[in-house]
Amino acid sequence: GTAFSMTERDRLDLRGLLPPNVMSLNQQINRFMLDMKRLKESVRDGPADTTALAKWRILNRLHDRNETMYYKVLIDNIEEYAPIVYTPTVGLVCQNYSGLFRRPRGMYFSAADRGEMMSMVYNWPAEQVDMIVVTDGSRILGLGDLGVQGIGIAIGKLDLYVAAAVINPQRVLPVMIDCGTNNEKLLKDPLSRILLYEFVSFLPCI
């Protein structure tokens, strides 16, 4: 996962498939424990947001285990689950994405990838892509700059396109142009800071 160094990512063709920041095993464990603590506090203080996030987690775990079943459930229950995989719940997911992240979905391009993007694209497992949703995380549903955590909006939008327009899920690609963030709250949050870094200009990289 995110513990792979940049050298290892290049060797294993993983570059672009993981968030840019390298995260040690201890950091991953700390992230998990802090996420569990916050979940307990949310349940204690009020279940409204927790219920929506819990449903998203359940659907996300199903997506990890059985993609065919996930989309079948989504298609058959689109009216009930569209607000979970996309708005309004996806905004809450993006705000908490550092704690919710379990496995990579989509591709990540950062300033550190300057000159490497062309080769990185070949790391994506699908040979053909019909639809791409790109975000830089800077304006997510009126929530402000969420940095790399904004990848959730691209993932959720493509899930809806697959379910509602019968697009092949193997031929869609969420993309994060990771320019960093100037969101002080996220930069000071020990859980979010693991995946985020401060805003940098991406224009010289393109």
Side-chain angles (χ1 to χ4, degrees):
T2 50
F4 285 117
S5 68
M6 287 302 174
T7 302
E8 291 170 324
R9 294 179 190 201
D10 284 337
R11 190 173 72 245
L12 298 171
D13 295 332
L14 293 174
R15 191 161 178 172
L17 302 182
L18 296 166
N21 277 8
V22 176
M23 188 191 315
S24 70
L25 181 60
N26 284 337
Q27 285 177 309
Q28 293 184 57
I29 292 171
N30 290 338
R31 179 176 62 111
F32 174 79
M33 297 306 294
L34 185 54
D35 187 37
M36 289 295 290
K37 180 181 177 182
R38 287 185 177 177
L39 180 61
K40 291 176 183 177
E41 290 173 353
S42 297
V43 171
R44 182 193 65 205
D45 296 336
D49 288 348
T50 306
T51 301
L53 273 182
K55 289 181 179 179
W56 183 90
R57 285 176 192 258
I58 291 169
L59 286 170
N60 197 50
R61 285 198 294 267
L62 176 60
H63 197 174
D64 289 343
R65 293 194 309 271
N66 189 328
E67 187 175 70
T68 301
M69 183 176 172
Y70 169 76
Y71 284 113
K72 176 64 174 171
V73 168
L74 194 54
I75 291 168
D76 290 348
N77 302 275
I78 189 69
E79 196 170 333
E80 179 180 357
Y81 291 137
I84 301 298
V85 299
Y86 199 54
T87 57
T89 305
V90 74
L92 189 61
V93 169
C94 288
Q95 287 177 300
N96 295 276
Y97 198 76
S98 290
L100 297 171
F101 179 84
R102 293 295 174 266
R103 56 170 290 182
R105 294 191 189 282
M107 293 203 72
Y108 301 81
F109 299 98
S110 73
D113 300 320
R114 183 174 176 176
E116 302 291 339
M117 294 181 192
M118 183 69 74
S119 59
M120 288 167 61
V121 168
Y122 291 100
N123 292 338
W124 186 247
E127 291 187 5
Q128 291 183 306
V129 174
D130 294 330
M131 184 174 288
I132 299 172
V133 173
V134 181
T135 182
D136 65 359
S138 62
R139 294 180 63 188
I140 300 297
L141 303 173
L143 298 172
D145 185 358
L146 299 182
V148 73
Q149 297 192 151
I151 186 71
I153 198 80
I155 295 169
K157 187 171 286 190
L158 283 171
D159 279 351
L160 274 194
Y161 289 161
V162 168
V166 200
I167 296 172
N168 185 341
Q170 300 297 321
R171 297 176 68 162
V172 299
L173 174 58
V175 172
M176 163 55 65
I177 305 295
D178 186 11
C179 302
T181 182
N182 55 12
N183 187 319
E184 289 297 325
K185 182 180 177 182
L186 290 178
L187 290 171
K188 291 175 181 177
D189 181 347
L191 184 59
S192 299
R193 196 171 61 240
I194 293 169
L195 289 184
L196 297 164
Y197 55 88
E198 290 189 56
F199 173 80
V200 293
S201 174
F202 200 82
L203 290 177
C205 308
I206 298 175

